[in-house]
């Protein structure tokens, strides 16, 4: 009987081992297929297959517009309320009266805030492929205000032309400029930019949350990578994977204060925090509240303070003098920097703000860098949307094969 029992158990063990081997081979084949599909999608870029990429981009744009139109129709009550409010504000805007000065003031502030919020969203949306608008827009703006404040001896720049153009106020304004007065001058735009970056972190959160609640496989590479990372957490050896797991554990275990800590410092892995919060169903206001406080208040004050100190008058003068002390090439490098600073000082003392006849090559280089980065951002959007449509086609082909 014991022998019969042992003989009965043996086939079962063999069958179990065979099932495990089949499961592993199936998983490996699925992974190989996904990797192959991913490589095929990544080859779909404008400089390799321009016609196909543009075609897929247009088709994906139409699909997205259709989806957004359907979602707006589902929320037609909210859309109707929004249109009624827009009609009311339009009536107030175009009707003459004593209220016009308040309307103009609100319009100016609204557009100024919307501009910086939009740049903040562009900087963080897209899971790391966003435009670095702090380096291109907010940082230079804070630096310009800092240099102007030290040159003019005041932050009370005439409005207009400020903020479009900085001009020193009329009369003698010599006096000590404090760090806090400059911080106060740029606080609104800095906080709005930080709020925009917080809003830009919401797509990965909502995507992961919807995937967890529905149990569906999301159309996102980063979420798939996140799930693989959770599966292989114990065997993680490399620094990047351990850093990602550290962020994930902090957010999961500490909650609000963990999210706040991750959002309050420059953190390239914060996209993972949004995915983690969505995956573990962290409440929306816990995630967004901590992200908003961290990015719009704490982190922005740190970055703002760094830029203001870096571009304070004595630091800039020391940096220019250090450039001149470089052997052989120092004087040649120092000259354009000195000319640029002198031109900026002259602009501040002329209401017309006329530019010098000879354009400084530093300004020319910076303009071209901004142009190149904006073009790269637009191209990356076209490539990403084309690859999204290609993924739809791949999924459709695989679903037809399994039928």
């Amino acid at each position: 009987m014991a022998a019969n029992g042992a003989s009965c158990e043996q086939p079962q063990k063999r069958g179990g081992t065979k099932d495990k081997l089949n499961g592993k081979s199936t998983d490996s084949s699925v992974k190989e297929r996904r990797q192959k599909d991913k490589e095929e999608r990544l080859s779909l870029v404008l400089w390799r297959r321009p016609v196909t990429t543009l075609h897929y981009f247009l088709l994906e744009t139409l699909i997205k517009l259709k989806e957004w139109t359907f979602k707006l129709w589902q929320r037609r009550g909210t859309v109707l309320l929004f249109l009624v409010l827009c009609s009311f504000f339009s009536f107030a805007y175009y009707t003459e009266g004593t209220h016009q000065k308040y309307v103009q003031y609100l319009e100016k502030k609204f557009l100024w805030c919307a501009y910086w919020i939009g740049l903040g969203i562009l900087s963080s949306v897209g899971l790391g492929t966003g435009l670095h608008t702090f380096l291109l827009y907010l940082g230079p703006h804070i630096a310009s205000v800092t240099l102007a404040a030290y040159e003019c001896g005041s932050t009370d720049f005439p409005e207009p032309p400020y903020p479009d153009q900085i001009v020193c106020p009329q009369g003698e304004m010599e006096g000590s400029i404090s760090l806090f007065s400059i911080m106060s001058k740029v606080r609104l735009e800095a906080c709005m930019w930080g709020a925009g970056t917080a809003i830009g972190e919401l797509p990965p959160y909502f995507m992961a949350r919807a995937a967890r609640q529905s149990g569906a496989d999301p159309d996102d590479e980063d979420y798939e990578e996140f799930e693989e990372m959770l599966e292989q957490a114990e065997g993680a050896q490399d620094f990047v994977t351990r850093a990602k797991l550290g962020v994930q554990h902090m957010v999961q275990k500490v909650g609000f204060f963990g999210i706040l800590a991750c959002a309050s410092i420059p953190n390239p892995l914060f996209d993972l925090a949004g995915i983690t919060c969505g995956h573990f169903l962290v409440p929306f206001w816990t995630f967004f509240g901590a992200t908003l406080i961290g990015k719009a208040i704490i982190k922005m004050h740190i970055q703002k303070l760094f830029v203001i100190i870096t571009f304070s008058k004595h630091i800039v003068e020391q940096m220019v003098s250090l450039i001149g002390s470089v052997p052989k090439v120092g004087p040649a490098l120092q000259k354009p920097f000195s000319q640029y600073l002198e031109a900026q000082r002259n602009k501040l003392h002329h209401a017309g703000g006329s530019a010098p006849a000879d354009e400084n090559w530093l300004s020319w280089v910076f303009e071209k860098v901004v142009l190149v980065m904006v073009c790269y951002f637009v191209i990356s959007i076209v490539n990403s949307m084309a690859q999204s449509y290609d993924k739809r086609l791949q999924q459709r082909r695989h679903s037809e094969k399994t039928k």
Side-chain angles (χ1 to χ4, degrees), residues 205 208-209 251 259 272-283 287:
Y205 168 82
R209 186 180 179 88
V251 169
I259 302 165
L272 187 66
I275 294 175
T276 302
C277 290
H279 180 78
F280 291 105
L281 303 179
V282 173
F287 169 72

Side-chain angles (χ1 to χ4, degrees), residues 55-110:
H55 181 222
Y56 283 7
F57 165 73
L58 292 173
L59 292 173
E60 182 68 14
T61 303
L62 291 173
I63 290 172
K64 291 292 184 186
L65 288 173
K66 184 180 176 182
E67 290 175 355
W68 292 341
T69 304
F70 180 70
K71 288 178 180 178
L72 288 174
W73 177 250
Q74 286 182 320
R75 297 167 176 82
R76 49 189 176 273
T78 307
V79 173
L80 181 62
L81 178 62
F82 176 74
L83 291 175
V84 169
L85 287 173
C86 287
S87 302
F88 172 76
F89 286 122
S90 298
F91 177 77
Y93 184 79
Y94 290 107
T95 304
E96 295 295 332
T98 55
H99 66 284
Q100 279 299 316
K101 61 179 181 180
Y102 302 108
V103 170
Q104 290 172 5
Y105 174 80
L106 289 174
E107 179 192 15
K108 181 181 176 183
K109 288 296 181 184
F110 174 78

Side-chain angles (χ1 to χ4, degrees), residues 24-284:
K24 286 182 180 177
S25 63
T26 305
D27 289 343
S28 63
S29 63
V30 169
K31 286 183 179 178
E32 286 175 5
R33 175 177 62 79
R34 285 184 175 179
Q35 185 62 29
K36 187 179 178 182
D37 289 345
K38 184 177 179 181
E39 290 173 0
E40 183 184 332
R41 286 197 305 276
L42 291 177
S43 67
L44 185 65
V45 288
L46 275 171
W47 50 89
R48 289 182 181 174
R49 298 159 62 188
V51 177
T52 306
T53 304
L54 288 173
H55 181 222
Y56 283 7
F57 165 73
L58 292 173
L59 292 173
E60 182 68 14
T61 303
L62 291 173
I63 290 172
K64 291 292 184 186
L65 288 173
K66 184 180 176 182
E67 290 175 355
W68 292 341
T69 304
F70 180 70
K71 288 178 180 178
L72 288 174
W73 177 250
Q74 286 182 320
R75 297 167 176 82
R76 49 189 176 273
T78 307
V79 173
L80 181 62
L81 178 62
F82 176 74
L83 291 175
V84 169
L85 287 173
C86 287
S87 302
F88 172 76
F89 286 122
S90 298
F91 177 77
Y93 184 79
Y94 290 107
T95 304
E96 295 295 332
T98 55
H99 66 284
Q100 279 299 316
K101 61 179 181 180
Y102 302 108
V103 170
Q104 290 172 5
Y105 174 80
L106 289 174
E107 179 192 15
K108 181 181 176 183
K109 288 296 181 184
F110 174 78
L111 293 176
W112 184 240
C113 293
Y115 172 75
W116 289 110
I117 289 173
L119 287 176
I121 293 171
L122 285 176
S123 191
S124 64
V125 78
L127 292 170
T129 60
L131 188 67
H132 299 287
T133 52
F134 181 85
L135 295 176
L136 296 179
Y137 296 98
L138 184 58
H141 173 71
I142 297 172
S144 300
V145 171
T146 304
L147 292 171
Y150 280 106
E151 178 62 25
C152 302
S154 171
T155 56
D156 296 326
F157 309 125
E159 298 185 32
Y162 183 83
D164 298 322
Q165 183 185 351
I166 304 175
V167 178
C168 287
Q170 297 295 323
E172 292 295 325
M173 300 292 294
E174 290 295 331
S176 60
I177 290 295
S178 69
L179 195 66
F180 297 105
S181 63
I182 302 173
M183 290 177 69
S184 178
K185 188 68 177 178
V186 295
R187 182 174 291 123
L188 177 64
E189 45 266 49
C191 289
M192 289 300 103
W193 185 87
T197 61
I199 295 169
E201 300 295 349
L202 293 179
Y205 168 82
F206 284 125
M207 175 269 300
R209 186 180 179 88
R212 180 65 185 272
Q213 288 177 331
S214 64
D217 185 22
D219 184 18
D220 190 85
E221 302 288 347
D222 295 86
Y223 188 74
E224 291 174 5
E225 183 184 341
F226 171 74
E227 287 192 320
E228 288 178 9
M229 187 188 71
L230 290 181
E231 291 172 5
Q232 302 169 0
E234 293 182 2
Q237 296 294 329
D238 60 296
F239 174 77
V240 176
T241 305
R242 280 183 291 167
K244 289 180 177 179
L245 285 169
V247 171
Q248 183 253 322
H249 287 311
M250 178 182 286
V251 169
Q252 185 184 356
K253 301 293 183 185
V254 186
F256 179 89
F257 292 102
I259 302 165
L260 184 65
C262 290
S264 299
I265 56 173
N267 184 4
L269 301 177
F270 190 78
D271 288 335
L272 187 66
I275 294 175
T276 302
C277 290
H279 180 78
F280 291 105
L281 303 179
V282 173
F284 170 77

Side-chain angles (χ1 to χ4, degrees), residues 311-330:
F311 285 89
S312 59
K313 188 176 182 180
H314 63 284
I315 297 290
V316 170
E317 289 173 352
Q318 286 178 4
M319 286 193 294
V320 173
S321 64
L322 282 173
I323 291 171
S325 63
V326 176
K328 295 183 181 180
V329 296

